[in-house]
Amino acid sequence: MAIRLGLGLPQMRQYSLGKDVPDVARAAEGIGYDSLWVFERALFPEPATQGLYGVEGVPWPDGYRDVAEPLVTLTLAASATERARLGSSVLVAPLHQPFQLAKALASLDVASGGRVVAGLGTGWSFDEYAAAGIRPFEERGRVLDEFIEVCRAVWGPDPVRYEGRITRIASAVVGPKPARPIPILLAAGTGRALRRLVDHADGWLPVATGADRLAAQWRRVQDLAAERGRTEPVQTVLRVNTALTAEPYGGTDRRPFQGDVGQIVEDLVAHAAVGLEEIIVDLQSGARDAEHLKDVAAEVYERARAAGV
């Protein structure tokens, strides 16, 4: 069976949110994409107080200046589609009040007929944490732990009871309930984050940085799952952030998924060989507009399937 392919929805400022999101979502489902995905970027600090991903000296992409709210984007996509799964890669969970986000995800799942995938991470931006005001950046791991617990409680049977550091539910009926158990996938790379993934989540959301590195990371997840006695399989969805160009990239320092469609498909083939279940292809930053995005998405899909992905 071919690997599942997902497409990143248009959230950046070159797109019209109300018009282009439903249009691209509908087109992607028609092309054959199995899923539609959003990411979260709450703000663009100016001047920047830290580099991209917290790495000093690395500038933030200009596209991060204007990123549509992820659940609003998924709701627009849900209204225009019938089959495609609707996922986040990722929602920065500690930027949100746990109870309200759990209820919003459940409502979206009901509205879409059970198609939501909750992909979560802790993020890295000090400025986003300060603006959200939920808890300090240093407590991000504990907030994510609580969020997962709150989701399991809110999505489970009534009466719901929960006592945490942020959330307190004495005893309540909370609806609507998800149409089916919503999968929780985590972005995790090392240490405690990997243990949280193996012990408490349904799956893993890595980001593509090279096929060999991905294979090593996947072996580590599998080894840790075996070591900690996990019996359920770990669901896997790889996020691919492309740097799309009109012509082949001619430099000797080409990164994975940098270049024209042929080079992107070549990298898809290499990463698909690692054996994960699904790959999200995000093409939006290199597309001029929604029409261009739809055309490139169709070409990538057709060429990837022809290449055996």
Side-chain angles (χ1 to χ4, degrees):
M1 181 178 177
I3 193 169
R4 295 194 299 266
L5 288 177
L7 182 70
L9 288 166
Q11 294 175 261
M12 296 180 178
R13 63 181 174 182
Q14 70 264 45
Y15 304 104
S16 169
L17 182 64
K19 172 180 175 291
D20 290 344
V21 171
D23 184 34
V24 171
R26 192 179 301 112
E29 190 174 70
I31 290 165
Y33 281 96
D34 300 284
S35 54
L36 302 164
W37 296 81
V38 292
F39 74 102
E40 182 161 35
R41 193 82 284 132
L43 51 72
F44 188 99
E46 199 168 48
T49 55
Q50 64 183 138
L52 184 68
Y53 309 129
V55 179
E56 186 176 354
V58 180
W60 290 44
D62 193 61
Y64 284 0
R65 289 181 178 275
D66 190 335
V67 177
E69 201 282 330
L71 291 189
V72 171
T73 306
L74 282 184
T75 301
L76 290 166
S79 69
T81 56
E82 298 179 353
R83 171 189 56 81
R85 293 156 70 236
L86 304 164
S88 54
S89 177
V90 295
L91 279 174
V92 184
L95 301 183
H96 302 267
Q97 202 281 337
F99 176 80
Q100 291 175 334
L101 184 54
K103 188 173 172 67
L105 287 167
S107 298
L108 180 57
D109 193 66
V110 170
S112 66
R115 294 189 280 147
V116 170
V117 179
L120 311 174
T122 55
W124 46 267
S125 169
F126 301 151
D127 295 278
E128 289 183 336
Y129 273 78
I134 303 297
R135 298 298 295 176
F137 180 80
E138 293 74 19
E139 297 182 23
R140 61 196 182 281
R142 281 180 287 179
V143 176
L144 179 56
D145 288 336
E146 179 163 325
F147 176 74
I148 294 170
E149 293 173 356
V150 170
C151 284
R152 303 294 193 202
V154 167
W155 299 342
D158 293 321
V160 175
R161 298 181 180 90
Y162 184 81
E163 183 73 22
R165 299 179 71 247
I166 303 171
T167 307
R168 293 174 177 83
I169 309 170
S171 180
V173 175
V174 183
K177 300 296 184 184
R180 86 313 186 210
I182 298 175
I184 294 177
L185 278 60
L186 299 181
T190 58
R192 185 175 179 181
L194 281 178
R195 292 191 294 274
R196 178 186 297 114
L197 159 68
V198 167
D199 293 345
H200 302 297
D202 298 294
W204 180 45
L205 276 172
V207 176
T209 56
D212 291 343
R213 184 173 180 182
L214 176 65
Q217 291 173 321
W218 179 221
R219 286 193 297 270
R220 184 174 183 185
V221 171
Q222 292 173 301
D223 289 346
L224 185 61
E227 175 187 319
R228 297 181 73 84
R230 180 178 175 126
T231 56
E232 291 294 316
V234 177
Q235 299 175 34
T236 51
V237 180
L238 174 69
R239 181 177 183 86
V240 166
N241 295 316
T242 67
L244 179 68
T245 60
E247 302 293 334
Y249 184 83
T252 58
D253 60 342
R254 188 179 78 89
R255 303 184 306 275
F257 299 102
Q258 176 187 24
D260 66 356
V261 169
Q263 291 171 323
I264 288 169
V265 170
E266 180 182 315
D267 291 332
L268 278 173
V269 171
H271 284 71
V274 173
L276 304 189
E277 297 171 308
E278 186 164 1
I279 299 177
I280 308 161
V281 185
D282 197 321
L283 300 159
Q284 66 176 305
S285 64
R288 295 184 301 273
D289 52 29
E291 291 303 315
H292 186 209
L293 176 58
K294 289 188 294 183
D295 289 344
V296 175
E299 185 179 0
V300 167
Y301 185 89
E302 291 165 6
R303 292 177 67 168
R305 291 309 192 201
V309 175

